[in-house]
Amino acid sequence: MSLEDCYGVCGGDLAAVRGRLLDDARITKYLNFFLQDDTYANLGTSLESGDLATAFRMAHTLKGTSMELGLVQLSQDAAALCEALRPDDAGVPKNLEAAPELKQKVDDDYLLVQAGIALI
C-alpha cells in the first residue's frame, strides 16, 4: 500500500505534508512515531480522571501534531475539543458539556488514522 492510501483513509492532506517533510520515507517515519506517542492515550486518561488542565494540553498537542502531519480531520476535531476545554479567566473550561461528543469524534478520527497508517 502507499501513503496515498493512508491519507485517503484518514482524511489527510498528503500534498501539504510532502511540501513540509519533502520525502515519503520521512513522512512514514513520523506517522509511525505519531502512533507511538502517548498524547492520545493521555488525553483519554486525563478526561476520565477529571484532570482538565492536562486534557486541554493533550488536546492542544494532538491538534498541533496531527496538523503538522496533514491529518486534517483529526486536527480539526482535536482543535474543537481543545477549544471546549480551554480555560476561561476563572480557569473553567469554556464548553465542558461538549467535551464528550468532541472526544468521540477525536476517537473516531484516531481509529481512521491508525487504519490508514496500517496500510503503509
Side-chain angles (χ1 to χ4, degrees):
M1 295 295 190
S2 68
L3 282 174
E4 287 81 4
D5 295 326
C6 170
Y7 277 81
V9 165
C10 63
D13 185 352
L14 181 56
V17 176
R18 281 181 171 150
R20 282 190 296 278
L21 298 181
L22 307 176
D23 167 300
D24 285 1
R26 183 177 290 152
I27 295 167
T28 300
K29 173 183 165 182
Y30 285 113
L31 286 172
N32 286 311
F33 283 158
F34 179 78
L35 289 183
Q36 295 170 15
D37 183 74
D38 61 0
T39 300
Y40 172 74
N42 288 340
L43 172 61
T45 302
S46 59
L47 280 172
E48 289 170 13
S49 70
D51 182 355
L52 300 178
T54 299
F56 168 73
R57 285 194 317 275
M58 294 300 104
H60 191 273
T61 299
L62 185 62
K63 171 190 74 167
T65 305
S66 56
M67 183 186 322
E68 286 301 315
L69 289 171
L71 305 170
V72 176
Q73 192 59 53
L74 177 57
S75 178
Q76 290 173 350
D77 288 336
L81 178 58
C82 180
E83 288 309 308
L85 295 172
R86 184 177 297 281
D88 62 15
D89 292 337
V92 177
K94 291 183 178 179
N95 191 3
L96 188 57
E97 303 80 37
E101 180 181 334
L102 294 170
K103 174 61 167 66
Q104 184 59 56
K105 288 181 178 182
V106 168
D107 292 344
D108 294 344
D109 297 337
Y110 194 84
L111 288 173
L112 287 175
V113 168
Q114 285 179 314
I117 294 172
L119 295 174
I120 301 173

